[in-house]
Amino acid sequence: ELASEPADTDEFLVSDAGTIKRIDYSLIKGGGITVADQWRLTTNFTGNADPIASNLEQVDTSGQGTLGSAMTESSGIFTFPSTGIWLVKYNLSVNTGAGTTPTVDGLCTSFIQVTTNNSSYSNVARASAGLHDTSGGQVHENASEVSSLIDVTDTSNVKVRFKADSINSTTTVTGDSTLNKTFFTFIRLGDT
């Protein structure tokens, strides 16, 4: 019997068919998902962003919450609080504005980008949505949610950021400080 309860982040060595692996105590005691976090864009902007680098906040509206250690963000670059396999989701919300009729350029594209060396980023997931308005009224359109599993083997080198592309001059990327419009979700699924 243990003298005191281990912390959830304490690691134990187990043998898996002769291969020694490290496992967080939270998983041994039946933990399941230990980290879930959401961030959002708080204000609108027009044009492309590579990456979306400002006006970002962790969700904080009454009724919303997080689980476990939070992600950290600096200039649009998100750092994971722990290694593991992470599910990362990105929802890009755009608005064409009242009285505008988008052209073929009324396409918005969202990208999840990852680095494994804390330097060069690659696109790992992409979604696009076309904007169409024949009436001249206001149109809201969300790019299909894009997601990817990210293998975070090293929290100093594996990071993610989010790109908004193909945003024309009549289209606004929408944000809000009280509800999720353009937002990012991070869920740690298990050990790497």
Side-chain angles (χ1 to χ4, degrees), residues 8-63:
D8 284 351
T9 56
D10 285 348
E11 294 184 334
F12 290 81
L13 296 176
V14 296
S15 176
D16 179 11
T19 301
I20 301 296
K21 295 184 176 181
R22 294 182 303 171
I23 296 180
D24 287 351
Y25 178 67
S26 63
L27 297 175
I28 293 172
K29 71 174 191 173
I33 292 176
T34 57
V35 182
D37 196 11
Q38 279 192 323
W39 288 67
R40 64 181 164 221
L41 179 68
T42 60
T43 57
N44 297 346
F45 69 84
T46 302
N48 298 332
D50 185 11
I52 298 174
S54 60
N55 300 311
L56 299 169
E57 71 171 7
Q58 187 180 37
V59 298
D60 59 0
T61 303
S62 179

Side-chain angles (χ1 to χ4, degrees), residues 81-97:
S82 59
T83 60
I85 302 296
W86 288 76
L87 174 61
V88 177
K89 296 182 177 184
Y90 170 24
N91 188 85
L92 175 66
S93 177
V94 296
N95 179 337
T96 62

